[in-house]
Amino acid sequence: MSTSLNLDKDHLTACISCGLCLPHCPTYQTTQDESRSPRGRISLMRGVEDGLMPLSKEVIESLDTCVQCLGCETACPSGVRYGELIGQTREVLNSHRKVSFRLRAGLWILLHMRVLLFGSRVLAVLQRLKLVPNKALPVPSRIPLRGVRYVQNDDPEVILFTGCVMDVWLSQVHEAALSVLDSIGVRYMISGNQVGCCGALHSHAGFRSTANKQALEVISALPSDLPILVDSAGCGAVLKEYGSLLGTQEARIFSSRVYDIHEWLINDSKWRESLPARRPGNKKVIVQDPCHLRHVQKAHTSVRELLTPFVECLELDDEGLCCGAGGAFSVDQPELAKEIRDKKLKSIQRAGRHLVVSANPGCMIHLESAGVEILHPIQVVAEYIGGKEDHE
Amino acid sequence: MGMNDLEDFRESVGKSDPVAVVGGRTHWTVGGNPTDDTRLVSAPVGIDFFDPSEMTVSVKAGTTLKDLNEELSRYRQEVCLEGSSETTVGGALMIGTDGIRRNLIGSIRETLLQAEYVDAKGKLIKAGGPTVKNVTGYDLCRLLVGSLGTLGLVGRVILRTRPQSEKSVWLRGGLSPEEARHICFRPSSLLWNGEETFIQLEGYGVNVDSEILNLKNLGYEELGVKCPISIPSFRHKFVNGMSLDNGIIDVYSSILYKSVEASEPQHSEEVLRLGNRVRKMFDPLGRLNPGRDPYRAGP
Amino acid sequence: MNRSRGNDQLFQELCRDIGTNRVHRDGASQLLYSRDGSAFPGGIPGVVCFPETTQHVVDCIKAANRHDRSFVPRGAGTGLAGGAVPCDAPLVISTTKMNSILEVNYEKRFAWVGPGVVNLDLTKSLTGTGFHFAPDPSSQQSCTIGGNVANNSGGPHCLAYGVTNAHILAIEVVLPDGTLVQLGDVDGHASGYDLRGVFVGGEGTLGIATRIAVKLTPDPPEIRTLLLDFMDVADAAKTVSAIIASGIVPAAIEMMDKRIVNVVEEFVKVGYPTDAAAVLIIEVDGLPEGVKIEVERIQSISLEHGARSVRVASSDEEREQIWKGRKSAFGAVAQIQPGYYLHDTVIPRTKLVEVLEAVYEIANRYELIVMNVFHAGDGNLHPLLVFDPQEPGVMERVLVAGEEIVQVSLDAGGVLSGEHGIGLEKKRFMEKLFSEEDLAAQKLLKDAFDPDGRANPFKVLPSGASCSEVNHLNQLPDGAWV
């Protein structure tokens, strides 16, 4: 099958095959195989574009196994825009083949909040009855039984973006975020159910038209000029990308309002005023950077800045290598995702037996299902800033 | 003039009969004696070119270490070739063993940058290159060092030089070799006679002085510039548990120096086969240093 | 041709011997393993193998022998001279999966590692032990130790510590006939010919390393990194010569000219002076008192020779960022143009000023952009000609300019390659440096190891026959050239 991927030729030729991306690619690190590396994937894209390579099973496998963590973009000294290349490629691939039922079903459900809510409640009950074996599904081990009723302020200063699945599965993170805002006296509202899915996973998986549709909905549902705070790195990344995704002035203005919650807090004067004079205990946490925070938003240092007044932050020794969650990746490529996670687990082990924090629901769920004790950083902050818990 | 010397040397080596180069005869029996029918020739003598700011020297193989070092020390430099003052540059390279200062000054194998040698067919061959770093082609210089003149007869070489240390001193004390290693950053020599360790420190005066102070606090005695013990001449490979027998161990290289000759070293059949293939390639008729065999030489 | 039928049989035997999942021959693998870091317009591998044990490698080579096939060892594929490019449908034997650190002996200061262990991973695994692996090629975060052995790799710190060869004690090798042999020993004193020493730098043409004993180097107690900037390239070059001539051997002296500083700064943002004509990165290490003396001497020498400022890195992070910039330099050039052509000549350090001047003059004359980033301390130049391969006629100019640069280096008493190796790319220049007889002598060594010419054929020596798939060697490839 001879197909054009419609890739930007300049972006393709910008890769000079130096190989400096190899150590930052989770799939190359687990396989040591060129076809699982950024430079290999770019070579294959080039091969397809130049008509040297058919879009064979092996080529598709190579491209499908990319987590899209974009660790390679951070590592590339020439600034190759790999994200754009693989995004565009995925889109073309999706129009040429059947997407797996698992993936399609997963993406569909995100767009249908009622089904998602109903299914999750059923799952939560089954979990309590121990009818779902632990780690059988890519979901948290204890889904909340009922939805949270958030209190909102009049005359809000900020909007917390609550999204779809996170609001259903990890609402405790939103609660923690709101309690932090409460403690320092920031008035807020939430985006809530009517806004729903941001389309991050759809964009990620190469369903750009669905992603664009969600983007339009989200933008029109959240007018005003209030800052939009996001406590999911994956959602935050795509919200910030709406501008370039849609290419409209309205979308660009919207994206400029979006902040990762850590990023926003550290620059907020109320936050700075409420910091303790010295660290309340000697607790240590291991910081696991979500790729969408580190490589896409490049806001990962703010997590440390936010945590350091309260706890000591320990770094992993893998320079921000992906954990294998990768949005829908762990659903689509479960075996590879597990192998990548195994590497991460070893790195966590080397850092010692401490609580792990990660600012993205996907990473939290993926690591938790391997038995890692994990929280969202904002949950740790909430414990301290609210003064709710006394720590050793 | 230099070229003429080499050309004379090439002619004296000839093309067909058994031949060996005689230097200072300081290591004459290493790896066996040349057979009786071997014709002995001498290598040319003299320093061709010494560029102190480049830290390389071009010298003919028959030059003695004494003469070479005299010239180099005028610019406070040295080469890492060891032997007695009568040992020739070519001789030291063909024997190819490192001295006790290897830990600081590096291996003799790193010293030879370029060699011009006469091959078994009587042709003058150039191996390596004049620069301090070089991966242009196969590094035949590596092969020549320690080859006992069995692959080619070296006439002229370019060697890497190094700055002489500002200060050098020996100390004696009671730390075990392992402890001594931990205490000192990069001693040039570390010897052990089974009871005491002998440490040679070299470098900037301030560095050496601060290390001396450290060691004196641990009961070490300062002994001056010259090596305080005489080192027996036969090199044995030391393995843990071996008795010292009044020998002295070079801790960094695990060489045990003893006054009795070592038994012939053991080599795997595969290594010997490969080594012999190399020799056969370079000297199919066996005319270069017949009777000598690098695989029979000690460590 | 019956090559594909031969392939079938060979493929099946390999699958049987080392396992189906370790043998690839699909089109994607063939494309990906046809090139290395040089993006040479390579041939096509017959079969790509991913051995995980020494026995697998033996099996691969024996299979190659049975089918009268050659083989090409391959590490991470970061080589810059086409050394891992397959010619004549060989087995490509990728050692990347042999990536375990097998034994670390702190008492005797060595470690046995698999050839696929990544250079920087070894040093990282030693963090906190007080030791490191000294060779640090710029690609160290990606390249493998097996590849370092094949190319006798250098790196900035090889100025004081020596190139890879000085750090390899012993190597377990599978010879081209399938024989397993250990060259050298962990004490570094094996008697007999130094076959370990010639194997290092053999560019995979003498056999395949399956286990490597590396020397562990003690970490220096003190390190100082200096960033010097100059308004004139010649002043920087003079400073380098003067430092060496003063008897100081720093751990590293690196030079970058204005163009490369600008692309590097764009990437690392550590505050490289982008208006300077050239910068030097100089590192000294050792005991604190001596380091202090060397820093002072280097400062005064450089100021005497026209340095505008000398900045001493104040933290480990700053130091790391400075080095990250230097080590990313090659990878960053695509910011300017998507193609580059690179040489690796070494010249006497006393000739830096005149040769650099000539390099700029040559580039100007051919209307090409040249960027210089190199190991100044040992005279190892890396002139990079940067260009857009789409521009008509540019290839011819690049090639002629490249050849002139090589000639200028050789005329100054230099050599072809300091650390990248000859591979496919530079063998056409070998006759400029060696006579026919010199090259015949080198061939004797190759023949002793590999009488049938199966190991990585068509590399290093300019033989009469040439790789049929790569006979357009004088044409630069489309797209990138590293």
Side-chain angles (χ1 to χ4, degrees), chain B residues 54 138 150 181 204 237, chain C residues 107 185 193 205 294 349:
Chain B
E54 190 56 33
Y138 298 111
T150 58
R181 258 182 170 197
Y204 287 112
K237 208 179 158 85
Chain C
E107 191 207 331
D185 66 23
Y193 300 120
T205 65
E294 291 191 340
R349 297 166 283 198

Side-chain angles (χ1 to χ4, degrees), chain A residues 150 160-168 170-180 190 230-232 378-379:
Chain A
Y150 303 104
L160 180 75
F161 185 82
T162 49
C164 52
V165 65
M166 188 168 174
D167 194 29
V168 181
L170 290 167
S171 50
Q172 65 271 29
V173 174
H174 294 331
E175 288 181 283
L178 296 179
S179 86
V180 170
I190 60 161
V230 191
D231 55 10
S232 153
I378 204 73
Q379 291 178 288

